[in-house]
Structure formats: structure tokens, C-alpha cells
Amino acid sequence: MGTLDKPQTCNILFAVGFGLLLGQADIIEQYAETFVIPFLFLMLYGMFLTIPLRQFKKAFLNIKFLGSSTIINFIWTPVLAWGLGAIFLSDYPALWIGFIMLMVTPCTDWYLAFTGIAKGNVPLSTSVLPINLILQVVLLPVYLLLFAGTIETIPISTLIESVLIVLVIPFILAHLTRFLLKRRETVLNNKIIPFFANAQIFFLSLAIMAMFASQGSYLLENLEVIYILILPILMFFIINYVLARLVGRFLKFSYEDSVSLSLTVIARNSPVALAIAVTAFSDQPLIALALVIGPLIELPVLAVVSQILLFTRKKSKK
């Protein structure tokens, strides 16, 4: 994690609070929304830039890990998210959609830090990162049409436009940058990539700040959604953690590989989902709010899970 990523929860909380404060000024509330997409675009461009596609081949060297993590993340998890939403959020369709969007996108950044803390196999976790990223970009619109489409009508044209603006274009530009700077790898690896790696949380915070400033009045009237979301989010983490431990034991993974599987299927990638939510559902800020609240609950959970994993490691050595 970069220097700015370490206090990520504090950065996000500050961005939310400061955005709400700025939104009390009518002129700021009126124009803040125009800055959300540019900041998200820069953040996602930086995220795609830091992930070299050549890591793809490394993921296929461990078929058991790749297969189990992919099945859990992209087949089991969407069904689980929809089911938990049906149980806990059926009276709140906007939150249900936001919850699904949060849960169907595996993390592509901070889970590596918690994998390291829990003494997991960081290189193995890193190897599946590009595959997780590509699959979530491709499948998120599909999940929205399949699952969220049963909750509320989603215009396909709006969804396609959102995916193009905030995912496809920054993805292409990021890898075009890599291609153009292929002969200047020193500049790319020592200056450009480190800058964007550290700046991702900065751009995300600015996007969150602008979003909350633009919807400040509405969101202050709906803060009870935090209590509504806590239980389904915690249930998701508990169920996927138990499942990952059982799968790791069944496949006879080492402790390190089992840790990697656990954190890969628990941690979520709210920035990608948030980018889609802000562009496709600009008239429903509660969807985006669910995606902002998610990490505030997730990060403490990941910290606790990493300590539980370390405890099981010490216990097994006795």
C-alpha cells in the first residue's frame, strides 16, 4: 500500500465529512457533481496503470487457487449478495443495488496489505489480481442486468455509457501509456506508476468529497442506511470467510495459500463499483452511499480477519 493508502479509512471519512460541509454552500452543491467523474476517471486510470497484464500467465500456474477463487468471486458471491439483499434490503431497492455492486467486485489493492499482515502468499494473491480486475470489469454490467434488473429497470444505454466512460476508456489509456513508454521503463516504473499508485486514494477521496457535496442535503436525511447495511455486510464477510477456510482445507492448501484465498474472496473493490454507480445512477445517491459505507465497515473487518488468521497459525504450530 502506498503512503496515502495506509490511513485509507480516515481519508474516506474525512472526504465524506468535508464533502457534507462544503455541500452546505448552495453554489458548491450545485456544481460539485461535475467533478465526480473526472476524479474517478483519474483514479481508475492510475489503478489500471499499476497492474501489468503480463501477470496473467502467473495466475494459471496454480490452477487450484485460480479456479477456487474465481468460482467463489464470480459465481458464488453474486448469488450470495443477491440472497442477502433479498433477506435484509428488500424494502430498500437502491441500497440493495448498491450492496450487490459492492459485493460482486473483488478487491484489487488493499487486500494485498492484509495478506502480508496475515503472513499469506502475497505473490500468489498478486498473480490473480489482473484476472479479477478484467472479470469484474466485464461481468459487472452483466450482474447489474441479471440481479439489479430484477429489482429496478436499468437502461442498457446508460449502463454501456457508464462502463465506457469510467472503465473501458481509462483501461485502454492506461495500457496504451504502458505500450508507448515500453522503451522508457525507468520513467514508467520509477516515476509515473509510483505517482499514480500513491495518488489513487487522493483522487478517490476527491470524488467522494464531490459526490457528498453534491448530495449533502439528501444524504444527511438518510444516515440511517448505515445501520441498515451493517448486518448484511457483516454476514457476507462471515459466510465467505468460513467458505474460504473450508475450501482451503478441502483442497489441502498451505497456510499461506489459504490466507490468500480467504482475503481474496472477502475484500471488495468499491471504487470500480462506485464509478459505475455515480454515472449510471446519478439520480439515486443512496446506491453510491452504500458503496462508500462498505469500505468503512470492510477495513476494520479485514484487520480483524488478518489477526484471526495469525491466531490460527500460532495455534496450529503448538
Side-chain angles (χ1 to χ4, degrees), residues 153-179:
T153 303
I154 299 172
I156 257 187
S157 58
T158 303
L159 190 56
I160 291 172
E161 181 185 356
S162 303
V163 171
L164 282 173
I165 291 173
V166 297
L167 293 182
V168 176
I169 294 175
F171 179 86
I172 291 172
L173 287 177
H175 290 285
L176 182 61
T177 301
R178 278 186 164 276
F179 176 77

Side-chain angles (χ1 to χ4, degrees), residues 15-16 18-20 22-23 28-40 203-216 219 278:
V16 169
F18 195 59
L20 289 172
L22 290 174
I28 293 177
E29 185 177 25
Q30 184 179 354
Y31 292 104
E33 189 176 351
T34 58
F35 294 96
V36 176
I37 292 176
F39 288 140
L40 285 172
F203 291 130
L204 175 61
S205 296
L206 288 175
I208 290 172
M209 193 183 303
M211 184 191 72
F212 274 81
S214 68
Q215 302 289 343
L219 296 175
V278 169

